[in-house]
Amino acid sequence: MFALAAALLFVLALIFQIAGVAVGTVVTVTTLGIAGLLCVALHLMGVGAGWTLKR
């Protein structure tokens, strides 16, 4: 799930970079890139990999 979120953040960052768009001072290409890297790191750690029911 985090890998999908990272891919979406990277696509948004790429589109913002190509179009030269910035949404305020908080959401920039850099913040989207860092958020994407955080999602990749969480994915590689195994967070959100899935839940199993123990019976």
Side-chain angles (χ1 to χ4, degrees):
M1 190 66 175
F2 280 109
L4 179 63
L8 291 175
L9 287 170
F10 287 138
V11 166
L12 280 176
L14 178 64
I15 291 171
F16 283 9
Q17 179 70 34
I18 291 171
V21 175
V23 182
T25 59
V26 177
V27 180
T28 62
V29 173
T30 305
T31 55
L32 289 174
I34 290 173
L37 289 174
L38 175 65
C39 288
V40 168
L42 289 172
H43 172 73
L44 290 175
M45 278 180 34
V47 175
W51 299 93
T52 58
L53 295 175
K54 296 181 181 180
R55 292 182 184 192

